[in-house]
Amino acid sequence: MAAVSQLQRQFIEYTTSLYNEGYLDDQYTQLQKLQDESNPDFVVEVVSLFFEDSEKLLNNLATALQQKIVDYKQVDSHVHQFKGSSSSIGAQRVTNVCIHFRNFCEEKNLDGCLRCLQQLKHEYIQVRNKLEGLFRLEQQILQAGGSVPMMESICTSASTMSSSGKLSA
């Protein structure tokens, strides 16, 4: 069981870092609360749909911004959709980039929009990689016969972290 407790500790530390670094916010915790025994893969399924939609939206944004005459209303519509879906899963840093992106759309600032598109791609890839790592860790815990720690206890642990990054007693 030592392996399980080590994996659970890694899970808690990793999840805590995702909140502390702004990758996730409380909306992700709310999403976790909707998962139960009758739908144990709920979060993975919702986040996977987010990944699929995000890839399409990023492609649509890139195409729209490459047009000779940019339709900023269309670009803003795509960014608005991206903002909504990222917010619904708690992808805080992606949501924040979308807010700035929408401001550049309103100003019809092509350079600003192009910079935001690059930043949006970067933040999306970061959060996708982080969440995929979190899901892999969850699977390792379950395969080892353990249970995944609840998010409420992790959020509480995040607030008791010391400056060294270790959980305080």
Side-chain angles (χ1 to χ4, degrees), residues 75-160:
V75 173
D76 183 63
S77 176
H78 293 313
V79 175
H80 180 72
Q81 187 178 349
F82 209 147
K83 179 178 166 263
S85 61
S86 61
S87 176
S88 72
I89 68 149
Q92 184 177 2
R93 288 167 65 156
V94 173
T95 303
N96 291 341
V97 173
C98 289
I99 291 167
H100 295 295
F101 202 149
R102 292 195 73 199
N103 290 335
F104 285 120
C105 289
E106 190 175 308
E107 296 169 4
K108 296 183 169 62
N109 179 332
L110 182 59
D111 288 338
C113 286
L114 291 170
R115 281 193 312 275
C116 277
L117 177 60
Q118 292 310 309
Q119 188 178 2
L120 189 57
K121 286 179 182 177
H122 173 77
E123 291 298 341
Y124 164 71
I125 288 167
Q126 289 281 14
V127 79
R128 184 188 69 200
N129 291 341
K130 301 277 185 187
L131 285 170
E132 286 172 346
L134 186 65
F135 296 151
R136 279 191 301 275
L137 202 46
E138 284 180 3
Q139 286 303 310
Q140 290 173 351
I141 292 169
L142 295 172
Q143 288 169 356
S147 61
V148 177
M150 295 304 299
M151 297 305 282
E152 294 91 14
S153 61
I154 292 170
C155 293
T156 303
S157 297
S159 64
T160 61

Side-chain angles (χ1 to χ4, degrees), residues 31-37 39-44 138:
L31 193 63
Q32 283 280 91
K33 289 179 182 178
L34 297 174
Q35 184 167 291
D36 58 20
E37 296 86 28
N39 197 356
D41 297 326
F42 179 74
V43 174
V44 172
E138 284 180 3

